[in-house]
Amino acid sequence: GETVNYQRLGWLTQAEIGKLPLEQQPVYPKVCQGAWITPIASTVKAPTPDSTPVEALAAWVYYNPEGESKLNGNVRISQQGRLIEADNAELSQGQNTGKFKGNILLAEPGVVMTGEQADIDLQSDIARLERAEFVATFLNAHGRADQIQRDSQGIVTIAAGEYSTCEPNDRVWYFSAHDLSLNPTTGRGTVKRATLHVQDIPVIYVPYFNFPIDGRRMSGLLVPRFGTTNDGGFDFAQPIYWNIAPNYDATFTPRILSRRGLMAESEFRYLTATWGEGEVNGAFLPSDKLYEDLDRKRATWRHRYRPANWQLSSNVNYVSDGAYFTDLGTDLVQSNTTHQERSADFSYWGKYWTGLVRVQGYQTIDPLLQDIDKPYARLPQLLVTAQLPNSSPIQTHLLSELTHFQRSITDNSGAEVNGLRWRIEPELSYDLHKPWGFVTPKLGFKQLAYRLDGDMHNTSHINATHFSIDTGLVFERPAKSFTQTLEPRLFYVFSPYHEQNDLPNFDTASTTFSFAQLFRASRFSGGDRVDDANQISLGLTSRRIDNEDGSERLRISLGEVFYFRDRKVQLNSSDPIATASTSGLAGEINAQFNASWSGSADALWTADGNTSQFGLQLHYLPNTYERLFNLGYSFRREVQALNQKALRQTSLSFIQPLSLHWQMLGLWQYDLLNKETPDSLLGVTYDACCWQVSFYRRQFLADVDNTSAAERKRSAFFIELKLKGLAGLSSGVNDLLANRVFGYQLIKPDTKNNSRF
Amino acid sequence: LPNDRDQPISIAANSASFNEKTGIATYTGNIEVQQGSLLIKADEIIATVDKQGTIISVVAKGKPARFQQQPATDKGIASAEAEEVNYQARDGLVQLKGNAKLQQDNSSFKSQQISYSLDKGEIEAKGDSKNRVQLVFPPPKKEDRKTKKLGEPPTSTGTQP
Amino acid sequence: CGYQLRGSYHIPPALQQLQLRLNTSSNLAMPLRNTLIQSGIDLDEGNYALEIVSEELNKQTTSTDSRAKAAEYTLYYQVEYQLKSIDNKTVLPVKRLLLRRSYQYDTTAIVGKGAEEELLIRELYQDAAHQIVQQLRAFNTDTRAP
């Protein structure tokens, strides 16, 4: 096309931007050679056009209050939040609409359009430009079009246009569309009959797609995903996005794995006003050649409907076999999960109480787990928790639960025990908090009852009371730049022993021993055990608080439990009775050395004084957020009493910019005991202004039905392409890094946050 | 006002001279000319008057010379100033030269030259591409906006799905 | 050795009354309100507001067992908060707090471990509330908008 005056559209090179006063300099990625600056900043609030006076400049003006007025020669019309320039203009009677001719420029907050001919309504948003060029800074995009039109609702329609987020003089890709419309109210852009051109070669044709224009995660036209794995061979997938309606969309992805066969993945998302939002997705690979020609399937349904202070939700997952995720999973985090949850909840939030009705079960996909080790299903669980407000120091808290537990044993790895469990745990505490410290005596009662299937008439139940007192003092020694505190803490808990050897264990586990565990009343999580305790915990915490910003520069804690009685209650009767008179020391250190470096360490010693476990972490995360470095070491000794297996692992991860465009990232976990690398990844990313390509090589150990280590070694190489501002597809690497690399979320803010909360 | 012309004229000035034959009167020194709603203030005025004593034209110079008149009862007062104000009474035309300013119904004009027809309210302002005419007009009133449409609706493309 | 019992919560006078702005369904709401009240602050009044800008809770696998199954999970809770005057004249920079707690996973007791996770999360919120209130001491009224 003819050369375009990008200068007039507001393109400034880095050098030119550097000369601007600081507050006018736009924020733009360093990898771009410049940025668009619109005459009216996108942050300017444009009042309704018909409420502000119109100022005009022109070499010659003919003004007629009864009829048309004419302005000729370097015409410039401006209102608050809008600017129009043209060679000449004709304004209608009453000056509310105008016909403009000759190198027109129309500027609004964050938007600039230039063209040859335009009709603009000065009182509303209605405008129409012919043969126009445009820049939309909120999309960081520019383009041209035969016609740009905006109606009174502000919907911009661009006919026969081109659109790209690349630098104007270096358009690596652009897409041309028969019809592109941007709707600020729905925050969606829709494109019809679009073709993606890369280096001017048409690459993909998409009949219709729809993308968010208000900063939400960019989805829409999806680019292909390709890579190879040492087991699956070449792996190519081309997602096809189909927007059925503004609140329904679907992605269908045919995928070829050279050594396994053809596979189909699909994802359907829905948002309804009447009964909530959710997504259904699934995948199917008929007769996998590398898996004895069995079908490989996966399905997920998540739903949430929260009209008021109650909510219905579901989270149903199914997978055909245990190796599915290691063989076919793109969400690489899943490769080390052992179970697939399937649950449906009804939750209710009252003023002082919450209620939950839940049906929950698990599909165990780890083939080595025997039925006796599989989780119970809750069919159903009724749970009510209540807490009086905190007006007075007297606190009351109530938990009551009635659940039917069900687990079938078919591999006779143990006796099948199912049944009903009822528990009610009211607590009364007195919270005395003062600057010098706190004293919190607490009295609790617990009733636990079972009615097991098979002998329905006989219920066993326990009524137990427990008493605890938690008290601590705060000593301070202020110094010039910091305040050092010394906080001794004492926690005594007493609860009598009740014989529980024949009680089943439906949902209880022993909590990980740590400094925090010293001050918990129970050594179990879940509801099947009533603690027998007569112990006192002593702890000491010292904090170094920076006087200037109040942040905790250093926190050191050390503590130990002294038992006055053996702990006879165990999870299963085969566990040894804990007879040690002390728990062994538990310590923790957290340090924020400076703005970038931080570290933490925790250590546990057994009663006989040897280290049972310790962990060290070091993090480097500067607040420029463009690089990070993490180093971690964790050591665990085999301790029968704590059912703790030996472990010695190091983990290292880094993101390091190599140059303006290139960046390297790496993750390496090494198991010192077994001398093997459970997981490692090396990636290189080339980041250009409007596109980004990453190459990753991942090596990890898959647990494949106890075969030899060599067989378990999996390596995968894949390429990830991203067209900035339009589409991007991660092949699961982002999720893996977000799950493994501390701080990664902060560096790549647009990664999908994989937290399930 | 349209009936200004048949109102009595009052002219005050430091000094004045009148040439019977040519019908030209020249006045100098903080002059004030008033005729109905018409008011002219200037440092030097050359007025030509016909036989019956009605004004044909007034050329006022000043730093700046000021001119003010209410074109019609339903219109606001138009006030103007310029280095030279040339008022042609008979065809109701005012020409301002030299950083001229004109204000009417809170629209305002600034330019090198402005010519303003008092009867029809038309204004023509001439500047050049370097110092252009400056024009401010108020946001159009609400009620007369409904009638306006933006040209003809687009035919083929761009209709919303 | 120079230590004496802490005499006051060191809450600056301007913050003795404080508004709290965070979305009500956030789990930080209850512990933070309790800790503020325990530190002698009257809530929902005053001309300064403590605003919770963003919260993020996620879980990372920090070590795996010999069969490449998760052996230890670490929960990261990050909260960004800001102190500003009601009329937004004084706006302090956003502060970021990142807390972590980890627990050993046991694939034979995933339901029990799920309960432990909920327990740790409650403690993370409590710890965050304590540190936020502890940082209020550094506020002095003459800090203007940056």
Side-chain angles (χ1 to χ4, degrees):
Chain A
E2 75 293 347
T3 57
V4 175
N5 179 350
Y6 290 116
Q7 214 65 21
R8 191 153 186 252
L9 272 168
W11 177 258
L12 289 182
T13 62
Q14 274 185 355
E16 286 155 348
I17 291 174
K19 296 199 193 76
L20 290 176
L22 209 54
E23 69 282 359
Q24 282 174 8
Q25 294 188 2
V27 173
Y28 65 101
K30 298 197 298 306
V31 288
C32 293
Q33 295 145 10
W36 299 100
I37 296 195
T38 56
I40 301 173
S42 50
T43 48
V44 170
K45 287 271 171 312
T48 50
D50 58 9
S51 65
T52 57
V54 178
E55 281 150 25
L57 292 169
W60 176 84
V61 172
Y62 166 71
Y63 172 75
N64 171 0
E66 302 316 323
E68 269 200 3
S69 307
K70 292 191 175 57
L71 296 92
N72 285 352
N74 206 341
V75 175
R76 174 189 164 91
I77 295 183
S78 57
Q79 284 169 307
Q80 225 255 337
R82 177 190 274 184
L83 167 69
I84 308 164
E85 284 176 355
D87 288 349
N88 47 55
E90 281 162 20
L91 302 183
S92 66
Q93 207 260 346
Q95 294 80 39
N96 34 40
T97 59
K99 276 201 179 328
F100 297 83
K101 283 196 179 50
N103 56 67
I104 290 157
L105 180 131
L106 166 62
E108 284 172 358
V111 176
V112 170
M113 298 185 228
T114 61
E116 281 317 307
Q117 206 250 332
D119 301 319
I120 299 172
D121 181 324
L122 296 173
Q123 292 147 12
S124 74
D125 287 338
I126 299 173
R128 191 164 53 118
L129 273 89
E130 308 292 341
R131 288 178 310 291
E133 298 277 326
F134 65 90
V135 163
T137 48
F138 59 87
L139 285 171
N140 188 18
H142 70 280
R144 67 166 72 94
D146 285 359
Q147 187 191 77
I148 300 181
Q149 173 169 329
R150 184 176 45 212
D151 66 16
S152 54
Q153 279 87 30
I155 298 174
V156 174
T157 314
I158 298 163
E162 281 173 10
Y163 163 100
S164 168
T165 59
C166 299
E167 291 133 324
N169 35 34
D170 174 16
R171 263 191 347 169
V172 171
W173 63 265
Y174 66 90
F175 75 75
S176 59
H178 181 75
D179 183 350
L180 161 69
S181 86
L182 306 171
N183 185 330
T185 34
T186 62
R188 306 284 307 179
T190 50
V191 184
K192 280 196 250 159
R193 304 216 291 277
T195 311
L196 177 65
H197 304 255
V198 176
Q199 301 289 7
D200 286 330
I201 305 153
V203 169
I204 305 172
Y205 170 78
V206 182
Y208 180 99
F209 82 90
N210 162 311
F211 59 99
I213 53 171
D214 58 2
R216 269 172 292 179
R217 199 169 66 79
M218 280 296 173
S219 72
L221 172 69
L222 299 176
V223 288
R225 183 178 77 215
F226 29 85
T228 67
T229 55
N230 66 342
D231 55 340
F234 183 70
D235 179 343
F236 178 82
Q238 167 57 55
I240 299 164
Y241 181 87
W242 178 35
N243 176 273
I244 308 154
N247 46 11
Y248 299 97
D249 65 28
T251 310
F252 176 70
T253 311
R255 182 179 173 195
I256 307 153
L257 291 117
S258 55
R259 291 215 206 100
R260 291 184 184 277
L262 196 61
M263 180 178 183
E265 294 170 357
S266 69
E267 183 185 314
F268 169 70
R269 289 184 301 188
Y270 57 90
L271 181 71
T272 65
T274 46
W275 46 276
E277 65 191 52
E279 67 180 44
V280 180
N281 49 48
F284 179 65
L285 167 61
S287 66
D288 180 347
K289 296 198 218 77
L290 291 182
Y291 203 74
E292 299 124 9
D293 284 323
L294 291 172
D295 294 349
R296 314 291 295 275
K297 293 172 292 229
R298 178 180 64 81
T300 305
W301 173 48
R302 283 199 198 89
H303 183 86
R304 201 169 77 94
Y305 176 52
R306 177 170 182 159
N309 61 345
W310 56 274
Q311 171 174 294
L312 270 172
S313 66
S314 77
N315 176 10
V316 181
N317 303 285
Y318 161 78
V319 79
S320 56
D321 53 84
Y324 177 92
F325 289 111
T326 38
D327 295 347
L328 306 167
T330 51
D331 180 344
L332 300 159
V333 166
Q334 292 276 14
S335 55
N336 53 38
T337 50
T338 54
H339 294 79
Q340 291 290 290
E341 182 187 352
R342 48 187 69 161
S343 64
D345 299 357
F346 168 78
S347 328
Y348 180 87
W349 290 275
K351 191 148 194 317
Y352 302 120
W353 66 283
T354 59
L356 171 70
V357 179
R358 163 177 291 172
V359 176
Q360 180 189 44
Y362 289 89
Q363 173 200 6
T364 303
I365 59 174
D366 180 349
L368 291 191
L369 280 178
Q370 296 176 321
D371 287 354
I372 198 70
D373 292 330
K374 289 183 179 163
Y376 273 89
R378 292 166 165 153
L379 303 169
Q381 171 190 26
L382 312 173
L383 177 69
V384 173
T385 54
Q387 174 136 17
L388 278 187
N390 181 27
S391 52
S392 72
I394 296 172
Q395 296 276 318
T396 58
H397 181 267
L398 173 75
L399 178 137
S400 64
E401 182 194 9
L402 174 66
T403 307
H404 179 261
F405 289 92
Q406 169 69 34
R407 176 182 67 186
S408 48
I409 305 271
T410 51
D411 61 4
N412 52 50
S413 52
E416 181 166 323
V417 176
N418 303 322
L420 263 175
R421 182 185 74 191
W422 152 262
R423 64 178 169 135
I424 183 161
E425 293 175 17
E427 259 178 20
L428 188 67
S429 62
Y430 183 87
D431 245 355
L432 175 69
H433 271 268
K434 286 282 182 262
W436 47 262
F438 66 94
V439 181
T440 313
K442 184 180 286 187
L443 189 63
F445 169 77
K446 174 167 180 176
Q447 183 182 64
L448 178 60
Y450 291 87
R451 177 187 293 236
L452 301 181
D453 301 351
D455 57 2
M456 297 304 274
H457 51 276
N458 154 8
T459 62
S460 57
H461 65 271
I462 295 173
N463 293 325
T465 57
H466 67 269
F467 164 76
S468 69
I469 180 158
D470 192 357
T471 174
L473 298 172
V474 179
F475 294 93
E476 270 187 348
R477 180 179 66 179
K480 203 164 50 51
S481 61
F482 60 86
T483 306
Q484 190 79 30
T485 75
L486 213 54
E487 298 167 40
R489 185 173 177 185
L490 177 144
F491 177 69
Y492 172 75
V493 60
F494 171 79
S495 56
Y497 169 70
H498 293 273
E499 200 281 319
Q500 292 162 50
N501 285 349
D502 56 7
L503 288 191
N505 171 6
F506 288 141
D507 68 357
T508 304
S510 49
T511 50
T512 312
F513 189 71
S514 64
F515 177 74
Q517 172 65 27
L518 302 181
F519 306 100
R520 295 186 190 133
S522 168
R523 59 185 186 279
F524 301 110
S525 64
D528 289 301
R529 289 300 177 270
V530 176
D531 281 69
D532 59 334
N534 183 2
Q535 62 195 46
I536 190 164
S537 311
L538 296 177
L540 185 65
T541 298
S542 175
R543 301 174 206 263
R544 188 188 181 97
I545 299 166
D546 181 319
N547 286 344
E548 204 246 318
D549 68 3
S551 63
E552 222 171 60
R553 284 278 175 258
L554 181 68
R555 175 170 70 190
I556 301 174
S557 309
L558 201 59
E560 189 166 14
V561 184
F562 298 91
Y563 302 107
F564 304 124
R565 199 179 65 203
D566 296 348
R567 275 75 64 211
K568 288 194 286 202
V569 174
Q570 316 114 321
L571 279 180
N572 15 36
S573 41
S574 59
D575 294 350
I577 294 178
T579 56
S581 66
T582 77
S583 68
L585 272 174
E588 229 181 48
I589 300 177
N590 281 294
Q592 182 75 35
F593 304 113
N594 55 38
S596 308
W597 288 92
S598 67
S600 65
D602 47 77
L604 303 173
W605 288 267
T606 51
D608 50 25
N610 333 354
T611 34
S612 135
Q613 166 189 317
F614 73 85
L616 283 169
Q617 272 103 33
L618 188 66
H619 309 296
Y620 168 69
L621 181 62
N623 44 27
T624 51
Y625 295 136
E626 95 278 276
R627 66 172 57 156
L628 67 81
F629 170 77
N630 296 312
L631 190 63
Y633 173 71
S634 38
F635 165 86
R636 266 188 237 153
R637 199 160 55 83
E638 170 105 33
V639 178
Q640 285 304 348
L642 298 173
N643 179 8
Q644 177 176 298
K645 303 188 197 64
L647 177 133
R648 272 168 60 216
Q649 278 192 8
T650 61
S651 78
L652 171 105
S653 56
F654 66 89
I655 293 179
Q656 175 61 32
L658 305 173
S659 73
L660 179 63
H661 290 285
W662 287 99
Q663 185 191 57
M664 189 161 86
L665 58 90
L667 161 78
W668 178 50
Q669 271 179 336
Y670 185 68
D671 183 339
L672 291 140
L673 280 186
N674 310 320
K675 298 275 180 293
E676 54 189 21
T677 301
D679 209 335
S680 70
L681 179 122
L682 197 61
V684 172
T685 300
Y686 181 82
D687 190 17
C689 185
C690 59
W691 59 278
Q692 183 189 61
V693 68
S694 306
F695 308 90
Y696 295 105
R697 187 172 190 303
R698 185 185 184 213
Q699 241 177 336
F700 62 99
L701 288 181
D703 167 60
V704 178
D705 310 343
N706 53 47
T707 49
S708 70
E711 174 87 15
R712 291 171 54 212
K713 236 196 182 63
R714 285 291 168 78
S715 68
F717 171 83
F718 30 87
I719 300 170
E720 206 179 83
L721 180 64
K722 186 171 183 175
L723 301 180
K724 286 188 181 174
L726 175 62
L729 184 81
S730 83
S731 58
V733 170
N734 272 333
D735 311 332
L736 171 70
L737 292 171
N739 177 281
R740 288 287 166 70
V741 173
F742 171 80
Y744 180 79
Q745 300 286 94
L746 305 175
I747 298 237
K748 305 264 180 193
D750 59 1
T751 56
K752 178 167 73 64
N753 171 349
N754 77 332
S755 86
R756 63 173 176 80
F757 308 105
Chain B
L1 296 170
N3 53 19
D4 277 354
R5 281 193 210 105
D6 32 41
Q7 300 288 341
I9 300 174
S10 81
I11 301 177
N14 293 358
S15 71
S17 70
F18 180 69
N19 176 327
E20 254 309 297
K21 267 207 297 4
T22 58
I24 291 173
T26 47
Y27 305 87
T28 51
N30 59 57
I31 310 152
E32 255 197 47
V33 172
Q34 185 140 29
Q35 187 190 31
S37 73
L38 172 67
L39 175 69
I40 303 176
K41 288 195 190 110
D43 301 342
E44 185 208 328
I45 282 191
I46 303 159
T48 42
V49 181
D50 64 10
K51 296 285 178 290
Q52 297 76 20
T54 54
I55 294 179
I56 300 165
S57 78
V58 172
V59 176
K61 291 197 174 72
K63 302 208 180 13
R66 293 186 197 287
F67 166 91
Q68 188 179 315
Q69 191 187 32
Q70 189 170 359
T73 50
D74 65 351
K75 287 245 182 65
I77 293 169
S79 67
E81 60 181 63
E83 281 153 15
E84 183 192 312
V85 176
N86 183 327
Y87 167 57
Q88 302 298 333
R90 214 174 291 108
D91 44 32
L93 192 60
V94 179
Q95 287 183 323
L96 313 167
K97 288 197 189 67
N99 51 57
K101 291 198 182 74
L102 169 66
Q103 232 155 9
Q104 196 204 8
D105 295 342
N106 48 47
S107 316
S108 76
F109 289 72
K110 280 204 206 75
S111 165
Q112 288 308 328
Q113 286 177 334
I114 301 180
S115 58
Y116 170 51
S117 115
L118 290 167
D119 318 340
K120 298 201 235 47
E122 288 167 355
I123 300 166
E124 183 184 359
K126 270 206 222 51
D128 55 38
S129 63
K130 252 194 281 344
N131 24 53
R132 294 174 283 186
V133 175
Q134 284 180 351
L135 164 70
V136 174
F137 45 86
K141 285 179 281 315
K142 284 256 180 320
E143 70 288 354
D144 64 5
R145 197 159 38 105
K146 283 186 294 307
T147 55
K148 296 292 163 298
K149 284 211 190 34
L150 167 71
E152 69 295 347
T155 46
S156 60
T157 57
T159 42
Q160 247 311 310
Chain C
C1 54
Y3 282 95
Q4 335 98 349
L5 271 175
R6 183 169 66 175
S8 91
Y9 289 106
H10 302 298
I11 304 294
L15 298 182
Q16 292 296 356
Q17 298 178 322
L18 197 60
Q19 308 235 358
L20 186 55
R21 290 187 193 147
L22 78 168
N23 81 52
T24 49
S25 63
S26 143
N27 294 327
L28 182 62
M30 173 86 95
L32 187 53
R33 285 190 77 90
N34 290 350
T35 315
L36 286 166
I37 290 169
Q38 275 161 14
S39 309
I41 295 176
D42 321 335
L43 285 183
D44 308 328
E45 290 149 24
N47 39 36
Y48 281 94
L50 171 63
E51 184 174 316
I52 302 298
V53 173
S54 76
E55 279 179 85
E56 208 181 298
L57 181 70
N58 63 49
K59 169 170 145 178
Q60 292 193 351
T61 318
T62 32
S63 61
T64 50
D65 66 16
S66 55
R67 292 177 46 240
K69 298 297 176 222
E72 183 187 75
Y73 282 115
T74 299
L75 296 160
Y76 289 98
Y77 174 62
Q78 173 189 289
V79 56
E80 285 178 334
Y81 61 97
Q82 190 171 28
L83 206 57
K84 46 175 101 174
S85 56
I86 299 290
D87 51 20
N88 280 346
K89 275 212 190 59
T90 328
V91 178
L92 279 168
V94 176
K95 285 207 165 120
R96 193 163 59 86
L97 200 60
L98 187 57
L99 303 173
R100 47 173 278 284
R101 289 205 177 213
S102 41
Y103 65 97
Q104 281 168 26
Y105 195 57
D106 174 356
T107 55
T108 69
I110 63 165
V111 180
K113 284 298 170 183
E116 179 175 357
E117 192 173 280
E118 247 102 45
L119 176 67
L120 291 178
I121 290 170
R122 274 196 303 277
E123 287 176 356
L124 273 174
Y125 283 117
Q126 192 58 51
D127 197 4
H130 177 77
Q131 292 215 21
I132 291 174
V133 173
Q134 181 180 282
Q135 292 203 345
L136 294 182
R137 64 168 61 206
F139 169 82
N140 42 48
T141 43
D142 54 25
T143 45
R144 283 289 159 268

